[in-house]
Amino acid sequence: MNSLKNKKLLYIATQEFPGIPLNYNNQIKGYILPKSESKSISERLNLFLEKQNINLEISTFVTCIVDKIDKNEILKLRKCLPELNHIANFGVGFNNIDISFAKELGIRVTNTPGVLTEATADIALTLLLCVTRRIADGYSMMKDQGKYPGWSPTFMLGQSMQNKTLGIVGYGKIGQAFAKRAQALGMKCVALKSESWAESKNNPNDIKRLNEKDFLATIDVLSLNCPLTDSSKYWLNSQRISMIKPGSFVINTARGELIDEQALADALSSDHLAGAGLDVFCNEPNMSLELQKAKNLFVLPHLGSATVETRHAMGERVFEAIKSHYIERYEKHETGVLLFQVN
């Protein structure tokens, strides 16, 4: 890099992210878009560029899961930033970006893999315990009333998870980490068989894979840990919920759109499902009326990766990708696969 001290790679981010410096060795410089709840990302970018006296050789755009970078936004971003060829996503999931269209335009997309696993699995375990042991009910009673009716053998009973079966949809790193935590509680674990799964006879920690019918009929707790795709959108619908044994629980730490929220609310209100713990939901940050009215629901405001350590590690992953882009563009003068590239 020393031979190219005067060359700068410029990037612009939709907000300030932990772990991503705005200046690095006089080689990489970043800008932050001003906030505006009423304007799209491209509108914010236009206003920013009108007010700032900077050249347009910005090649990296840093975004996150709450930023919807669809086809139209990508076209507008490219129009504003003709040199744009890298979108760095602050998050392991990238369903907020039209990956295939970005690829058509020669824009590579990177994410932040491998650093959210433990924190997200911790939240899944938290949701499981809170919803099965009625933690929210107990806390609300003490917070609101400052007392409880007194101990009795039948007061505020929850359910033990020992010898219950956890079913995981999406047995990747987060699903595996959650399974380890559930096994520590004495739970049995199974996973939904997927087309991409290949049996490994050398992995002693592997769990049984079941087809969908047997999977849904077997489990006491369903955990969603899969990516959001066209095929997984609203995967948990009324038909699949009806196939789950009465009195079961649902946990979701992946994406809200994996669940048909009306179907979930109906199943909770009819007591077909004993409870649900959600860290994500459709149309975040606003929760639907259906969920607000549902019984036996414990909801968190998307805290899966919300630890200081994890968010800084995510930012470091983003910046590693930006540095990889710098090396490629100004040292190697070639186009290849960036660090953490997903397309």
Side-chain angles (χ1 to χ4, degrees):
M1 289 188 186
N2 291 334
S3 62
L4 292 157
K5 288 182 179 178
N6 296 324
K7 289 287 187 179
K8 283 189 179 181
L9 185 145
L10 304 181
Y11 75 86
I12 192 164
T14 56
Q15 58 182 287
E16 188 171 354
F17 295 104
I20 307 179
L22 293 179
N23 289 283
Y24 177 78
N25 285 355
N26 201 34
Q27 295 165 336
I28 298 172
K29 181 174 176 57
Y31 298 91
I32 306 297
L33 286 182
K35 293 181 180 180
S36 175
E37 295 183 2
S38 61
K39 290 182 172 57
S40 68
I41 291 171
S42 55
E43 289 172 336
R44 288 162 60 194
L45 179 59
N46 269 318
L47 289 173
F48 175 80
L49 293 175
E50 287 175 3
K51 294 179 180 179
Q52 299 294 321
N53 185 24
I54 61 173
N55 70 51
L56 298 182
E57 292 184 4
I58 294 175
S59 59
T60 293
F61 194 81
V62 182
T63 185
C64 65
I65 59 171
V66 299
D67 302 320
K68 303 301 181 184
I69 313 295
D70 58 16
K71 180 177 180 178
N72 288 332
E73 279 295 279
I74 291 175
L75 285 172
K76 292 174 182 176
L77 291 176
R78 176 56 77 79
K79 184 177 181 181
C80 293
L81 307 172
E83 298 295 317
L84 178 65
N85 54 21
H86 174 210
I87 296 176
N89 200 50
F90 186 91
V92 67
F94 43 84
N95 57 283
N96 55 307
I97 302 169
D98 190 326
I99 296 289
S100 59
F101 186 68
K103 186 175 182 179
E104 286 180 24
L105 295 185
I107 299 174
R108 294 167 298 176
V109 179
T110 58
N111 69 338
T112 62
V115 293
L116 290 74
T117 301
E118 303 303 327
T120 305
D122 286 345
I123 286 294
L125 179 62
T126 300
L127 290 169
L128 175 65
L129 292 174
C130 283
V131 73
T132 59
R133 293 299 305 273
R134 301 184 63 184
I135 302 300
D137 293 340
Y139 173 78
S140 295
M141 177 181 293
M142 296 306 301
K143 180 71 173 177
D144 296 341
Q145 302 175 25
K147 63 179 181 178
Y148 70 105
W151 186 92
S152 75
T154 58
F155 174 66
M156 204 168 282
L157 298 183
Q159 292 191 36
S160 169
M161 290 295 100
Q162 190 172 12
N163 296 319
K164 299 290 176 62
T165 299
L166 170 67
I168 298 173
V169 180
Y171 195 61
K173 291 187 180 299
I174 295 173
Q176 293 168 32
F178 184 31
K180 287 174 61 178
R181 287 157 171 76
Q183 288 167 338
L185 297 179
M187 297 189 76
K188 305 169 189 175
C189 296
V190 298
L192 179 65
K193 188 182 293 185
S194 66
E195 294 179 0
S196 61
W197 173 70
E199 185 175 5
S200 173
K201 297 181 180 179
N202 299 319
N203 186 355
N205 296 319
D206 211 1
I207 64 176
K208 191 173 184 179
R209 305 306 207 280
L210 300 176
N211 63 47
E212 184 176 295
K213 182 178 179 181
D214 293 338
F215 174 83
L216 293 172
T218 299
I219 61 176
D220 300 291
V221 178
L222 172 69
S223 178
L224 295 171
N225 300 97
C226 58
L228 177 63
T229 64
D230 290 340
S231 60
S232 67
K233 190 171 186 179
Y234 303 133
W235 181 86
L236 188 61
N237 54 24
S238 57
Q239 180 181 358
R240 289 189 175 97
I241 289 174
S242 70
M243 297 168 68
I244 300 174
K245 68 177 75 168
S248 297
F249 297 87
V250 171
I251 305 295
N252 188 9
T253 55
R255 290 290 182 267
E257 290 81 3
L258 295 171
I259 295 177
D260 178 335
E261 292 186 343
Q262 182 64 66
L264 177 65
D266 291 344
L268 290 169
S269 297
S270 68
D271 294 322
H272 177 71
L273 292 177
L278 309 179
D279 186 44
V280 290
F281 41 90
C282 298
N283 302 314
E284 291 182 31
N286 301 309
M287 192 165 68
S288 66
L289 289 176
E290 290 82 7
L291 290 185
Q292 290 181 49
K293 295 177 181 178
K295 292 166 42 180
N296 305 320
L297 179 65
F298 185 83
V299 184
L300 293 176
H302 207 142
L303 299 181
S305 64
T307 69
V308 172
E309 296 85 355
T310 300
R311 293 287 168 83
H312 273 273
M314 291 167 67
E316 289 168 3
R317 282 281 195 272
V318 170
F319 201 63
E320 286 298 317
I322 294 174
K323 287 191 287 185
S324 171
H325 188 28
Y326 176 91
I327 292 170
E328 176 196 274
R329 185 166 188 172
Y330 295 126
E331 284 195 348
K332 295 184 177 180
H333 303 285
E334 62 183 32
T335 299
V337 177
L338 291 179
L339 196 62
F340 311 126
Q341 185 171 326
V342 296
N343 65 338

